[in-house]
mmCIF file of all heavy atoms in Angstrom:
data_model
loop_
_atom_site.group_PDB
_atom_site.id
_atom_site.type_symbol
_atom_site.label_atom_id
_atom_site.label_comp_id
_atom_site.label_asym_id
_atom_site.label_seq_id
_atom_site.Cartn_x
_atom_site.Cartn_y
_atom_site.Cartn_z
ATOM 1 N N PRO A 1 -4.223 -0.144 -6.388
ATOM 2 C CA PRO A 1 -4.232 0.568 -7.666
ATOM 3 C C PRO A 1 -4.991 -0.126 -8.799
ATOM 4 O O PRO A 1 -5.410 0.538 -9.768
ATOM 5 C CB PRO A 1 -2.712 0.669 -8.036
ATOM 6 C CG PRO A 1 -1.998 0.488 -6.778
ATOM 7 C CD PRO A 1 -2.846 -0.458 -5.956
ATOM 8 N N ASP A 2 -5.187 -1.465 -8.669
ATOM 9 C CA ASP A 2 -5.843 -2.167 -9.774
ATOM 10 C C ASP A 2 -7.356 -2.438 -9.480
ATOM 11 O O ASP A 2 -7.966 -3.200 -10.240
ATOM 12 C CB ASP A 2 -5.119 -3.487 -10.013
ATOM 13 C CG ASP A 2 -3.691 -3.303 -10.520
ATOM 14 O OD1 ASP A 2 -3.480 -2.356 -11.271
ATOM 15 O OD2 ASP A 2 -2.796 -4.099 -10.137
ATOM 16 N N ALA A 3 -7.859 -1.916 -8.425
ATOM 17 C CA ALA A 3 -9.258 -2.168 -8.076
ATOM 18 C C ALA A 3 -10.171 -1.655 -9.185
ATOM 19 O O ALA A 3 -9.985 -0.593 -9.696
ATOM 20 C CB ALA A 3 -9.617 -1.514 -6.754
ATOM 21 N N ASP A 4 -11.187 -2.480 -9.518
ATOM 22 C CA ASP A 4 -12.139 -2.177 -10.597
ATOM 23 C C ASP A 4 -13.544 -2.403 -10.070
ATOM 24 O O ASP A 4 -13.902 -3.536 -9.698
ATOM 25 C CB ASP A 4 -11.834 -3.061 -11.809
ATOM 26 C CG ASP A 4 -12.739 -2.789 -12.979
ATOM 27 O OD1 ASP A 4 -13.753 -2.066 -12.828
ATOM 28 O OD2 ASP A 4 -12.445 -3.284 -14.095
ATOM 29 N N PRO A 5 -14.373 -1.341 -10.052
ATOM 30 C CA PRO A 5 -15.732 -1.519 -9.493
ATOM 31 C C PRO A 5 -16.684 -2.341 -10.331
ATOM 32 O O PRO A 5 -17.779 -2.649 -9.861
ATOM 33 C CB PRO A 5 -16.220 -0.075 -9.389
ATOM 34 C CG PRO A 5 -15.501 0.651 -10.468
ATOM 35 C CD PRO A 5 -14.140 0.026 -10.529
ATOM 36 N N CYS A 6 -16.253 -2.741 -11.511
ATOM 37 C CA CYS A 6 -17.111 -3.514 -12.387
ATOM 38 C C CYS A 6 -16.705 -4.955 -12.543
ATOM 39 O O CYS A 6 -17.319 -5.732 -13.287
ATOM 40 C CB CYS A 6 -17.249 -2.850 -13.776
ATOM 41 S SG CYS A 6 -18.035 -1.200 -13.787
ATOM 42 N N ASP A 7 -15.620 -5.331 -11.860
ATOM 43 C CA ASP A 7 -15.246 -6.751 -11.930
ATOM 44 C C ASP A 7 -15.934 -7.499 -10.759
ATOM 45 O O ASP A 7 -16.674 -6.944 -9.987
ATOM 46 C CB ASP A 7 -13.717 -6.934 -11.924
ATOM 47 C CG ASP A 7 -13.046 -6.521 -10.607
ATOM 48 O OD1 ASP A 7 -13.755 -6.326 -9.600
ATOM 49 O OD2 ASP A 7 -11.825 -6.386 -10.605
ATOM 50 N N ASP A 8 -15.657 -8.757 -10.635
ATOM 51 C CA ASP A 8 -16.313 -9.569 -9.632
ATOM 52 C C ASP A 8 -15.504 -9.796 -8.405
ATOM 53 O O ASP A 8 -15.735 -10.776 -7.651
ATOM 54 C CB ASP A 8 -16.705 -10.943 -10.275
ATOM 55 C CG ASP A 8 -17.784 -10.803 -11.322
ATOM 56 O OD1 ASP A 8 -18.603 -9.872 -11.238
ATOM 57 O OD2 ASP A 8 -17.829 -11.604 -12.290
ATOM 58 N N CYS A 9 -14.546 -8.924 -8.133
ATOM 59 C CA CYS A 9 -13.659 -9.109 -6.991
ATOM 60 C C CYS A 9 -13.440 -7.827 -6.213
ATOM 61 O O CYS A 9 -13.593 -6.704 -6.779
ATOM 62 C CB CYS A 9 -12.290 -9.643 -7.456
ATOM 63 S SG CYS A 9 -12.322 -11.344 -8.076
ATOM 64 N N LEU A 10 -13.094 -7.981 -4.974
ATOM 65 C CA LEU A 10 -12.591 -6.899 -4.180
ATOM 66 C C LEU A 10 -11.076 -7.002 -4.083
ATOM 67 O O LEU A 10 -10.542 -8.093 -4.023
ATOM 68 C CB LEU A 10 -13.199 -6.899 -2.765
ATOM 69 C CG LEU A 10 -14.717 -6.641 -2.657
ATOM 70 C CD1 LEU A 10 -15.220 -7.056 -1.263
ATOM 71 C CD2 LEU A 10 -14.980 -5.161 -2.886
ATOM 72 N N ASP A 11 -10.412 -5.886 -4.075
ATOM 73 C CA ASP A 11 -8.946 -5.895 -3.888
ATOM 74 C C ASP A 11 -8.653 -5.571 -2.427
ATOM 75 O O ASP A 11 -9.338 -4.711 -1.805
ATOM 76 C CB ASP A 11 -8.278 -4.883 -4.793
ATOM 77 C CG ASP A 11 -8.322 -5.285 -6.263
ATOM 78 O OD1 ASP A 11 -9.391 -5.696 -6.750
ATOM 79 O OD2 ASP A 11 -7.305 -5.235 -6.923
ATOM 80 N N VAL A 12 -7.676 -6.210 -1.857
ATOM 81 C CA VAL A 12 -7.385 -6.103 -0.414
ATOM 82 C C VAL A 12 -5.964 -5.648 -0.217
ATOM 83 O O VAL A 12 -5.037 -6.133 -0.879
ATOM 84 C CB VAL A 12 -7.611 -7.456 0.308
ATOM 85 C CG1 VAL A 12 -7.465 -7.273 1.799
ATOM 86 C CG2 VAL A 12 -8.943 -8.095 -0.064
ATOM 87 N N CYS A 13 -5.792 -4.700 0.708
ATOM 88 C CA CYS A 13 -4.438 -4.214 1.075
ATOM 89 C C CYS A 13 -4.250 -4.397 2.585
ATOM 90 O O CYS A 13 -5.012 -3.800 3.356
ATOM 91 C CB CYS A 13 -4.276 -2.738 0.685
ATOM 92 S SG CYS A 13 -2.701 -2.022 1.151
ATOM 93 N N VAL A 14 -3.285 -5.231 2.952
ATOM 94 C CA VAL A 14 -2.942 -5.407 4.353
ATOM 95 C C VAL A 14 -1.596 -4.732 4.624
ATOM 96 O O VAL A 14 -0.627 -5.009 3.936
ATOM 97 C CB VAL A 14 -2.817 -6.895 4.735
ATOM 98 C CG1 VAL A 14 -2.498 -7.061 6.194
ATOM 99 C CG2 VAL A 14 -4.148 -7.606 4.419
ATOM 100 N N VAL A 15 -1.555 -3.867 5.625
ATOM 101 C CA VAL A 15 -0.355 -3.134 6.007
ATOM 102 C C VAL A 15 0.102 -3.621 7.368
ATOM 103 O O VAL A 15 -0.594 -3.421 8.347
ATOM 104 C CB VAL A 15 -0.570 -1.633 5.972
ATOM 105 C CG1 VAL A 15 0.732 -0.901 6.393
ATOM 106 C CG2 VAL A 15 -0.998 -1.181 4.604
ATOM 107 N N GLU A 16 1.288 -4.280 7.373
ATOM 108 C CA GLU A 16 1.832 -4.735 8.659
ATOM 109 C C GLU A 16 2.474 -3.626 9.422
ATOM 110 O O GLU A 16 2.849 -2.583 8.883
ATOM 111 C CB GLU A 16 2.818 -5.916 8.401
ATOM 112 C CG GLU A 16 2.146 -7.165 7.856
ATOM 113 C CD GLU A 16 3.086 -8.350 7.962
ATOM 114 O OE1 GLU A 16 3.293 -8.849 9.089
ATOM 115 O OE2 GLU A 16 3.609 -8.791 6.911
ATOM 116 N N LYS A 17 2.684 -3.895 10.702
ATOM 117 C CA LYS A 17 3.350 -2.904 11.564
ATOM 118 C C LYS A 17 4.728 -2.610 11.072
ATOM 119 O O LYS A 17 5.460 -3.532 10.661
ATOM 120 C CB LYS A 17 3.356 -3.404 13.003
ATOM 121 C CG LYS A 17 3.941 -2.397 13.985
ATOM 122 C CD LYS A 17 3.887 -2.900 15.433
ATOM 123 C CE LYS A 17 4.474 -1.869 16.373
ATOM 124 N NZ LYS A 17 4.432 -2.377 17.775
ATOM 125 N N MET A 18 5.125 -1.371 11.144
ATOM 126 C CA MET A 18 6.471 -0.939 10.718
ATOM 127 C C MET A 18 6.822 0.315 11.542
ATOM 128 O O MET A 18 5.926 0.912 12.169
ATOM 129 C CB MET A 18 6.505 -0.617 9.208
ATOM 130 C CG MET A 18 5.638 0.549 8.813
ATOM 131 S SD MET A 18 5.555 0.782 7.015
ATOM 132 C CE MET A 18 4.195 -0.359 6.588
ATOM 133 N N PRO A 19 8.077 0.713 11.521
ATOM 134 C CA PRO A 19 8.418 1.974 12.257
ATOM 135 C C PRO A 19 7.610 3.144 11.759
ATOM 136 O O PRO A 19 7.334 3.254 10.525
ATOM 137 C CB PRO A 19 9.913 2.122 11.932
ATOM 138 C CG PRO A 19 10.412 0.763 11.650
ATOM 139 C CD PRO A 19 9.274 0.049 10.963
ATOM 140 N N LYS A 20 7.197 3.991 12.663
ATOM 141 C CA LYS A 20 6.325 5.093 12.275
ATOM 142 C C LYS A 20 7.003 6.026 11.286
ATOM 143 O O LYS A 20 6.321 6.636 10.442
ATOM 144 C CB LYS A 20 5.887 5.847 13.518
ATOM 145 C CG LYS A 20 4.934 5.056 14.402
ATOM 146 C CD LYS A 20 4.424 5.841 15.595
ATOM 147 C CE LYS A 20 3.490 4.972 16.438
ATOM 148 N NZ LYS A 20 3.019 5.663 17.646
ATOM 149 N N LEU A 21 8.295 6.156 11.312
ATOM 150 C CA LEU A 21 9.003 6.961 10.354
ATOM 151 C C LEU A 21 8.836 6.400 8.960
ATOM 152 O O LEU A 21 8.641 7.120 7.994
ATOM 153 C CB LEU A 21 10.498 7.101 10.689
ATOM 154 C CG LEU A 21 11.339 7.900 9.733
ATOM 155 C CD1 LEU A 21 10.803 9.309 9.572
ATOM 156 C CD2 LEU A 21 12.824 7.908 10.130
ATOM 157 N N LYS A 22 8.822 5.064 8.855
ATOM 158 C CA LYS A 22 8.626 4.409 7.563
ATOM 159 C C LYS A 22 7.217 4.625 7.087
ATOM 160 O O LYS A 22 6.987 4.839 5.868
ATOM 161 C CB LYS A 22 8.930 2.896 7.694
ATOM 162 C CG LYS A 22 8.936 2.167 6.308
ATOM 163 C CD LYS A 22 9.447 0.756 6.476
ATOM 164 C CE LYS A 22 9.512 0.053 5.105
ATOM 165 N NZ LYS A 22 10.035 -1.321 5.254
ATOM 166 N N VAL A 23 6.242 4.564 7.995
ATOM 167 C CA VAL A 23 4.842 4.855 7.629
ATOM 168 C C VAL A 23 4.771 6.288 7.063
ATOM 169 O O VAL A 23 4.115 6.510 6.018
ATOM 170 C CB VAL A 23 3.919 4.705 8.839
ATOM 171 C CG1 VAL A 23 2.485 5.089 8.428
ATOM 172 C CG2 VAL A 23 3.920 3.311 9.377
ATOM 173 N N LEU A 24 5.437 7.190 7.738
ATOM 174 C CA LEU A 24 5.428 8.600 7.319
ATOM 175 C C LEU A 24 5.980 8.763 5.943
ATOM 176 O O LEU A 24 5.496 9.576 5.113
ATOM 177 C CB LEU A 24 6.201 9.440 8.343
ATOM 178 C CG LEU A 24 6.114 10.962 8.250
ATOM 179 C CD1 LEU A 24 4.678 11.408 8.499
ATOM 180 C CD2 LEU A 24 7.052 11.621 9.229
ATOM 181 N N LEU A 25 7.005 7.984 5.612
ATOM 182 C CA LEU A 25 7.630 8.085 4.315
ATOM 183 C C LEU A 25 6.821 7.362 3.240
ATOM 184 O O LEU A 25 6.778 7.804 2.048
ATOM 185 C CB LEU A 25 9.047 7.479 4.346
ATOM 186 C CG LEU A 25 10.082 8.258 5.257
ATOM 187 C CD1 LEU A 25 11.373 7.468 5.319
ATOM 188 C CD2 LEU A 25 10.315 9.632 4.673
ATOM 189 N N LEU A 26 6.163 6.269 3.629
ATOM 190 C CA LEU A 26 5.404 5.482 2.635
ATOM 191 C C LEU A 26 4.053 6.053 2.296
ATOM 192 O O LEU A 26 3.562 5.913 1.181
ATOM 193 C CB LEU A 26 5.227 4.059 3.173
ATOM 194 C CG LEU A 26 6.385 3.088 3.063
ATOM 195 C CD1 LEU A 26 5.964 1.705 3.536
ATOM 196 C CD2 LEU A 26 6.871 2.994 1.644
ATOM 197 N N LEU A 27 3.422 6.727 3.291
ATOM 198 C CA LEU A 27 2.045 7.192 3.088
ATOM 199 C C LEU A 27 1.903 8.053 1.866
ATOM 200 O O LEU A 27 0.966 7.827 1.097
ATOM 201 C CB LEU A 27 1.592 7.921 4.364
ATOM 202 C CG LEU A 27 0.080 8.219 4.469
ATOM 203 C CD1 LEU A 27 -0.728 6.933 4.438
ATOM 204 C CD2 LEU A 27 -0.238 8.989 5.767
ATOM 205 N N PRO A 28 2.742 9.043 1.596
ATOM 206 C CA PRO A 28 2.564 9.863 0.381
ATOM 207 C C PRO A 28 2.697 9.062 -0.906
ATOM 208 O O PRO A 28 2.091 9.396 -1.908
ATOM 209 C CB PRO A 28 3.678 10.921 0.483
ATOM 210 C CG PRO A 28 4.010 10.974 1.935
ATOM 211 C CD PRO A 28 3.844 9.566 2.448
ATOM 212 N N THR A 29 3.471 7.945 -0.895
ATOM 213 C CA THR A 29 3.621 7.141 -2.132
ATOM 214 C C THR A 29 2.306 6.443 -2.489
ATOM 215 O O THR A 29 2.136 6.047 -3.656
ATOM 216 C CB THR A 29 4.741 6.099 -1.975
ATOM 217 O OG1 THR A 29 4.324 5.081 -1.046
ATOM 218 C CG2 THR A 29 6.026 6.737 -1.471
ATOM 219 N N ALA A 30 1.422 6.308 -1.498
ATOM 220 C CA ALA A 30 0.102 5.663 -1.788
ATOM 221 C C ALA A 30 -0.758 6.538 -2.660
ATOM 222 O O ALA A 30 -1.722 6.046 -3.255
ATOM 223 C CB ALA A 30 -0.604 5.338 -0.472
ATOM 224 N N PHE A 31 -0.484 7.836 -2.772
ATOM 225 C CA PHE A 31 -1.214 8.686 -3.687
ATOM 226 C C PHE A 31 -0.993 8.222 -5.122
ATOM 227 O O PHE A 31 -1.817 8.457 -6.013
ATOM 228 C CB PHE A 31 -0.771 10.124 -3.576
ATOM 229 C CG PHE A 31 -1.436 10.911 -2.479
ATOM 230 C CD1 PHE A 31 -0.727 11.450 -1.429
ATOM 231 C CD2 PHE A 31 -2.818 11.141 -2.520
ATOM 232 C CE1 PHE A 31 -1.341 12.197 -0.416
ATOM 233 C CE2 PHE A 31 -3.447 11.841 -1.511
ATOM 234 C CZ PHE A 31 -2.713 12.385 -0.469
ATOM 235 N N PHE A 32 0.134 7.582 -5.366
ATOM 236 C CA PHE A 32 0.486 7.148 -6.723
ATOM 237 C C PHE A 32 0.495 5.610 -6.833
ATOM 238 O O PHE A 32 0.864 5.082 -7.891
ATOM 239 C CB PHE A 32 1.861 7.677 -7.094
ATOM 240 C CG PHE A 32 2.023 9.152 -6.783
ATOM 241 C CD1 PHE A 32 2.673 9.580 -5.623
ATOM 242 C CD2 PHE A 32 1.500 10.073 -7.654
ATOM 243 C CE1 PHE A 32 2.785 10.921 -5.351
ATOM 244 C CE2 PHE A 32 1.607 11.449 -7.395
ATOM 245 C CZ PHE A 32 2.244 11.883 -6.224
ATOM 246 N N GLY A 33 0.060 4.884 -5.817
ATOM 247 C CA GLY A 33 0.044 3.448 -5.858
ATOM 248 C C GLY A 33 1.420 2.800 -5.803
ATOM 249 O O GLY A 33 1.549 1.608 -6.075
ATOM 250 N N LYS A 34 2.443 3.557 -5.428
ATOM 251 C CA LYS A 34 3.805 3.016 -5.433
ATOM 252 C C LYS A 34 4.154 2.282 -4.175
ATOM 253 O O LYS A 34 5.196 1.616 -4.085
ATOM 254 C CB LYS A 34 4.781 4.174 -5.606
ATOM 255 C CG LYS A 34 4.572 4.986 -6.919
ATOM 256 C CD LYS A 34 4.747 4.103 -8.148
ATOM 257 C CE LYS A 34 4.618 4.971 -9.413
ATOM 258 N NZ LYS A 34 4.702 4.081 -10.629
ATOM 259 N N HIS A 35 3.313 2.371 -3.139
ATOM 260 C CA HIS A 35 3.566 1.667 -1.907
ATOM 261 C C HIS A 35 3.540 0.160 -2.032
ATOM 262 O O HIS A 35 4.159 -0.552 -1.212
ATOM 263 C CB HIS A 35 2.484 2.079 -0.857
ATOM 264 C CG HIS A 35 1.129 1.680 -1.275
ATOM 265 N ND1 HIS A 35 0.449 2.224 -2.379
ATOM 266 C CD2 HIS A 35 0.236 0.761 -0.729
ATOM 267 C CE1 HIS A 35 -0.718 1.640 -2.477
ATOM 268 N NE2 HIS A 35 -0.865 0.758 -1.531
ATOM 269 N N VAL A 36 2.933 -0.373 -3.083
ATOM 270 C CA VAL A 36 2.813 -1.818 -3.266
ATOM 271 C C VAL A 36 4.179 -2.454 -3.503
ATOM 272 O O VAL A 36 4.300 -3.694 -3.412
ATOM 273 C CB VAL A 36 1.844 -2.142 -4.409
ATOM 274 C CG1 VAL A 36 0.450 -1.614 -4.074
ATOM 275 C CG2 VAL A 36 2.304 -1.576 -5.749
ATOM 276 N N ARG A 37 5.192 -1.662 -3.844
ATOM 277 C CA ARG A 37 6.509 -2.220 -4.074
ATOM 278 C C ARG A 37 7.150 -2.783 -2.785
ATOM 279 O O ARG A 37 8.053 -3.584 -2.833
ATOM 280 C CB ARG A 37 7.446 -1.166 -4.679
ATOM 281 C CG ARG A 37 6.987 -0.701 -6.064
ATOM 282 C CD ARG A 37 7.938 0.379 -6.574
ATOM 283 N NE ARG A 37 7.890 1.569 -5.761
ATOM 284 C CZ ARG A 37 8.643 2.662 -5.994
ATOM 285 N NH1 ARG A 37 9.491 2.688 -7.009
ATOM 286 N NH2 ARG A 37 8.536 3.715 -5.199
ATOM 287 N N PHE A 38 6.648 -2.325 -1.657
ATOM 288 C CA PHE A 38 7.216 -2.743 -0.349
ATOM 289 C C PHE A 38 6.474 -3.944 0.166
ATOM 290 O O PHE A 38 5.766 -3.924 1.147
ATOM 291 C CB PHE A 38 7.138 -1.574 0.644
ATOM 292 C CG PHE A 38 7.892 -0.358 0.208
ATOM 293 C CD1 PHE A 38 7.286 0.634 -0.597
ATOM 294 C CD2 PHE A 38 9.237 -0.176 0.506
ATOM 295 C CE1 PHE A 38 7.965 1.724 -1.020
ATOM 296 C CE2 PHE A 38 9.965 0.936 0.079
ATOM 297 C CZ PHE A 38 9.307 1.913 -0.693
ATOM 298 N N SER A 39 6.687 -5.043 -0.562
ATOM 299 C CA SER A 39 5.901 -6.277 -0.305
ATOM 300 C C SER A 39 6.266 -6.976 1.001
ATOM 301 O O SER A 39 5.614 -7.945 1.379
ATOM 302 C CB SER A 39 6.090 -7.262 -1.471
ATOM 303 O OG SER A 39 7.478 -7.553 -1.669
ATOM 304 N N ASP A 40 7.308 -6.499 1.688
ATOM 305 C CA ASP A 40 7.660 -7.098 2.976
ATOM 306 C C ASP A 40 6.677 -6.711 4.057
ATOM 307 O O ASP A 40 6.485 -7.468 5.023
ATOM 308 C CB ASP A 40 9.075 -6.698 3.377
ATOM 309 C CG ASP A 40 9.283 -5.185 3.478
ATOM 310 O OD1 ASP A 40 8.647 -4.509 2.649
ATOM 311 O OD2 ASP A 40 10.067 -4.703 4.309
ATOM 312 N N VAL A 41 6.046 -5.565 3.900
ATOM 313 C CA VAL A 41 5.094 -5.100 4.906
ATOM 314 C C VAL A 41 3.713 -4.771 4.350
ATOM 315 O O VAL A 41 2.783 -4.539 5.084
ATOM 316 C CB VAL A 41 5.610 -3.835 5.649
ATOM 317 C CG1 VAL A 41 6.792 -4.192 6.542
ATOM 318 C CG2 VAL A 41 6.028 -2.743 4.644
ATOM 319 N N ILE A 42 3.596 -4.744 2.998
ATOM 320 C CA ILE A 42 2.309 -4.419 2.365
ATOM 321 C C ILE A 42 1.936 -5.576 1.437
ATOM 322 O O ILE A 42 2.703 -5.983 0.578
ATOM 323 C CB ILE A 42 2.412 -3.127 1.558
ATOM 324 C CG1 ILE A 42 2.666 -1.912 2.529
ATOM 325 C CG2 ILE A 42 1.127 -2.868 0.741
ATOM 326 C CD1 ILE A 42 2.932 -0.628 1.857
ATOM 327 N N HIS A 43 0.723 -6.135 1.678
ATOM 328 C CA HIS A 43 0.297 -7.313 0.923
ATOM 329 C C HIS A 43 -1.026 -6.989 0.164
ATOM 330 O O HIS A 43 -1.956 -6.449 0.745
ATOM 331 C CB HIS A 43 0.078 -8.474 1.927
ATOM 332 C CG HIS A 43 1.205 -8.668 2.847
ATOM 333 N ND1 HIS A 43 2.373 -9.365 2.471
ATOM 334 C CD2 HIS A 43 1.421 -8.277 4.162
ATOM 335 C CE1 HIS A 43 3.215 -9.376 3.528
ATOM 336 N NE2 HIS A 43 2.651 -8.726 4.524
#
């Protein structure tokens, strides 16, 4: 959510393996950048 095309950095999102049902529930939250709250599997 904080990526800026005019700064000097790339932002990186690593998603670790999780139950597919959890992926299914988390995926829509990424439309709003809210998935980052799940720091146990998203870095």
Side-chain angles (χ1 to χ4, degrees):
D2 296 325
D4 182 347
C6 295
D7 67 13
D8 292 330
C9 291
L10 292 166
D11 289 48
V12 187
C13 177
V14 180
V15 178
E16 292 195 73
K17 184 178 180 179
M18 66 186 86
K20 291 182 180 178
L21 178 58
K22 189 172 183 178
V23 178
L24 190 63
L25 294 173
L26 282 184
L27 194 59
T29 70
F31 275 119
F32 312 99
K34 301 299 184 183
H35 62 295
V36 299
R37 296 179 296 179
F38 300 89
S39 57
D40 57 327
V41 290
I42 296 173
H43 311 280

